[in-house]
Structures are given as structure tokens and as C-alpha cells.
């Protein structure tokens, strides 16, 4: 009888040990499942999207714009050749920046503002670059030879100056700090600089032509001053005068020298000194032969009879 009780006790103890071992194994297998549920709850942070005009000034400075013009092939209108401008936007902020295509504008003092014909919004993600083709289409190239600014919405949001957009490299936001381009777009500063530091690099051989052109300008000063006082001011500094005459003379702008004179700016060729004219604020020019041409004639798509 004792042997039977011992056998029953042994079997009971053995069964208890098996049950305890099974519980421990069950607890161990449940642990990884709990950790997997915890890992699945990790969520990546979202990138905020902000309108360009809502960015702080410091962050707007991290959004860089580039504009490149391409002249339309064989396309002209009554006032000159036309071209198309494309835009590239690079976002160095940590936000996704939103724009409206229809809010991009070209502002030029001597011309009416031009607004993009494109519509619809687009975003530029952090660290990314976005190109918008033909943001401005069939624009008269005269907009890009003197003062002017690419804007977003209005004057509070300048993107780049328009001067030299049709050069090989185009223009970027960096030219907003370029002293030469700033002077073109700041008439009072440009005139002050020219008055205090006149250009003395004109060759001695051009002195006769300069004197002749100045005399011709003085002889017609009454007429010129009256015209400029009653007409709109188009030319406000020497760089603009030089750019206009480079077009009228059909020469490279770098070959010309400009000097402030009474009633305007004396523009003379360094290569051919006889090629000289006094440009007046209304855009008209009195040439060395004594004739005067209007701004419309000087900026026409073809030369106006002068070399």
C-alpha cells in the first residue's frame, strides 16, 4: 500500500513540473510579440508645407531663384525681338515651399509689368530643385537690357534683377547684391557715383568727337530739356544709356564708355571714337552729326541709320 502511495506522489510531482515548464515557455514566446507591437507604433515626422510669402525673411533667403532667357527664333514685334524665360527654384530650407505660377511678375520702370501666363500651384521639397519652363513667354527683350526685377506677388518679394537675363549664364538671386546691377536699379545712387567718379578712360583720340557731340547737344539743349521735362523719364543712369546705345550702334556694350554731361550721358565707342552720342533722360539721343533720334528709334529692332 505504501508503494502505491509513493508511486502516486511521484506521478503528481512529475506532472506539476511539466506544467510549470510549459508556463515558462509560454511567457518567453509572448515577449517578442509585445516588442513587435511597440515597434509598429513608430511614425516618421511629416514635413510642413508653407507658402513662400509666409516664410520668415531668413528662410526666404534660403530659397534661390535662377532665370534664363532664350530669344524666340525669327520672332519680332513692332518694338523689338521677343524671348521666353524659364525659372529654377532651389529650396535650402527644411520646409516644403508652395508657389502659385500666376503670381510671378516682371517689373520694369520703363515698361508695363508682365505677369506669368501660367497657372496652378507647385511645391519645392526641402533640399530639392524645381524647374518651371516658360514662366514668361514672348516678352520683349528690351525688358532685360536695363532696370527691372523678377517679383513674386509684389515689390516686397524680389527674386532677382532682370539685367542680363539673356546672357549665357542667365541671372540668379545673387545679383540682388551685385553692386553694378544694384546701381542700374537705383538711379539716385548711380548718378551720385558717376558725378563723384567720372570715367577718364576715354582715349585721347576721341576728344575731338566728344567735343563735337557735346557742342551739338548744347546747341539743342533748350529743345532737349523741354522734351525731357514733358515726356516720361526712361534713362536714369549711365549703365542704361550705354545699354541703349549698344543696341542702337549694334556693338558690344563693353566697347563703349559713358560719361555724365549736362542734359544726359555721353556714350562713345572706344574702337571708333566718331561713334558718339549724348543720351537724354527721355531716351532720345543727339549724335555727333547733330541729329537727334527718339527712344522709339534708338530701341527699334534694326539700326536707325547710324553705324
Amino acid at each position: 500500500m505504501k508503494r502505491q502511495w509513493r508511486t502516486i506522489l511521484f506521478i503528481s510531482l512529475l506532472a506539476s513540473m511539466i506544467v510549470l515548464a510549459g508556463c515558462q515557455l509560454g511567457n518567453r514566446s509572448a515577449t517578442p510579440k509585445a516588442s513587435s507591437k511597440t515597434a509598429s507604433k513608430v511614425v516618421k515626422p511629416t514635413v510642413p508645407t508653407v507658402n513662400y510669402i509666409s516664410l520668415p525673411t531668413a528662410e526666404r533667403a534660403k530659397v534661390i531663384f535662377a532665370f534664363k532667357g532664350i530669344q524666340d527664333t525669327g520672332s519680332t514685334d513692332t518694338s523689338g525681338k521677343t524671348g521666353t524665360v524659364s525659372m529654377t527654384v532651389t529650396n535650402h530650407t527644411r520646409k516644403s515651399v508652395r508657389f502659385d505660377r500666376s503670381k510671378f511678375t516682371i517689373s520694369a520702370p520703363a515698361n508695363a509689368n508682365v505677369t506669368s501666363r501660367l497657372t496652378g500651384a507647385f511645391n519645392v521639397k526641402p533640399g530639392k530643385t524645381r524647374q518651371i519652363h516658360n514662366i514668361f513667354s514672348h516678352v520683349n527683350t528690351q525688358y532685360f537690357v536695363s532696370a527691372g526685377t523678377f517679383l513674386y506677388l509684389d515689390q516686397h518679394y524680389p527674386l532677382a534683377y532682370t539685367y542680363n537675363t539673356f546672357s549665357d549664364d542667365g541671372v540668379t538671386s545673387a545679383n540682388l547684391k551685385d553692386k553694378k546691377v544694384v546701381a542700374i536699379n537705383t538711379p539716385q545712387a548711380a548718378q551720385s557715383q558717376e558725378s563723384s567718379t567720372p570715367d577718364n578712360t576715354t582715349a585721347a583720340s576721341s576728344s575731338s568727337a566728344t567735343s563735337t557731340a557735346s557742342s551739338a547737344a548744347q546747341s539743342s539743349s533748350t529743345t532737349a530739356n523741354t522734351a525731357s521735362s514733358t515726356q516720361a523719364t526712361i534713362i536714369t543712369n549711365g549703365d542704361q544709356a550705354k545699354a541703349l546705345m549698344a543696341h542702337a550702334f549694334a556693338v558690344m556694350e563693353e566697347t563703349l564708355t559713358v560719361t555724365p554731361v549736362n542734359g544726359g550721358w555721353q556714350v562713345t565707342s572706344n574702337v571708333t571714337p566718331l561713334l558718339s552720342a549724348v543720351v537724354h533722360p527721355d531716351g532720345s539721343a543727339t549724335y555727333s552729326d547733330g541729329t537727334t533720334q527718339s527712344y522709339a528709334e534708338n530701341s527699334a529692332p534694326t539700326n536707325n541709320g547710324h553705324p
Side-chain angles (χ1 to χ4, degrees):
M1 188 69 175
K2 290 181 178 180
R3 184 176 295 176
Q4 289 178 348
W5 279 107
R6 289 176 181 175
T7 301
I8 292 171
L9 181 61
F10 175 76
I11 292 173
S12 298
L13 290 172
L14 183 62
S16 298
M17 292 174 66
I18 292 172
V19 171
L20 288 172
C23 290
Q24 290 179 352
L25 289 174
N27 290 335
R28 289 177 183 176
S29 63
T31 302
K33 292 182 180 180
S35 62
S36 64
K37 288 182 179 180
T38 302
S40 65
K41 294 181 180 179
V42 177
V43 179
K44 293 183 179 180
T46 58
V47 177
T49 299
V50 181
N51 288 325
Y52 178 70
I53 61 175
S54 298
L55 286 173
T57 302
E59 288 191 290
R60 284 205 306 273
K62 296 179 181 180
V63 182
I64 308 302
F65 298 85
F67 297 89
K68 178 70 173 68
I70 299 176
Q71 189 167 292
D72 296 335
T73 303
S75 175
T76 62
D77 57 24
T78 57
S79 57
K81 295 183 178 180
T82 61
T84 298
V85 179
S86 294
M87 177 182 69
T88 301
V89 186
T90 302
N91 180 11
H92 294 295
T93 74
R94 296 182 179 180
K95 300 173 182 177
S96 180
V97 183
R98 179 179 291 261
F99 298 91
D100 184 339
R101 289 176 175 85
S102 66
K103 302 299 183 183
F104 289 92
T105 302
I106 298 173
S107 174
N111 299 279
N113 288 0
V114 175
T115 301
S116 174
R117 298 177 183 178
L118 302 183
T119 59
F122 69 93
N123 295 347
V124 184
K125 295 181 179 180
K128 299 297 183 180
T129 296
R130 181 77 179 269
Q131 186 173 28
I132 306 298
H133 295 285
N134 304 338
I135 189 70
F136 299 103
S137 300
H138 310 304
V139 185
N140 191 312
T141 55
Q142 289 297 315
Y143 277 79
F144 309 102
V145 298
S146 57
T149 312
F150 291 107
L151 304 174
Y152 185 73
L153 191 63
D154 57 35
Q155 297 285 348
H156 293 92
Y157 306 98
L159 310 179
Y161 289 128
T162 61
Y163 182 72
N164 268 348
T165 299
F166 280 75
S167 63
D168 292 340
D169 297 328
V171 298
T172 71
S173 298
N175 77 359
L176 293 173
K177 297 182 180 180
D178 185 308
K179 291 183 178 179
K180 176 183 176 181
V181 185
V182 169
I184 293 174
N185 287 272
T186 312
Q188 293 181 350
Q191 290 177 340
S192 175
Q193 182 179 9
E194 289 170 353
S195 299
S196 60
T197 57
D199 193 339
N200 294 321
T201 60
T202 305
S205 60
S206 67
S207 60
S208 177
T210 301
S211 177
T212 302
S214 298
S215 298
Q218 290 174 0
S219 66
S220 59
S221 61
T222 302
T223 303
N225 290 335
T226 301
S228 60
S229 65
T230 57
Q231 298 180 18
T233 298
I234 297 174
I235 304 301
T236 57
N237 57 61
D239 286 321
Q240 292 179 2
K242 187 162 62 172
L244 177 63
M245 296 319 296
H247 174 79
F249 289 153
V251 298
M252 297 295 293
E253 189 174 334
E254 293 76 12
T255 65
L256 300 177
T257 298
V258 60
T259 305
V261 295
N262 183 29
W265 299 266
Q266 179 82 48
V267 180
T268 304
S269 170
N270 297 328
V271 179
T272 307
L274 292 178
L275 198 62
S276 181
V278 174
V279 180
H280 306 292
D282 64 357
S284 64
T286 301
Y287 292 84
S288 57
D289 61 5
T291 61
T292 299
Q293 301 283 357
S294 67
Y295 174 74
E297 293 171 311
N298 291 326
S299 62
T302 57
N303 290 341
N304 47 47
H306 294 271

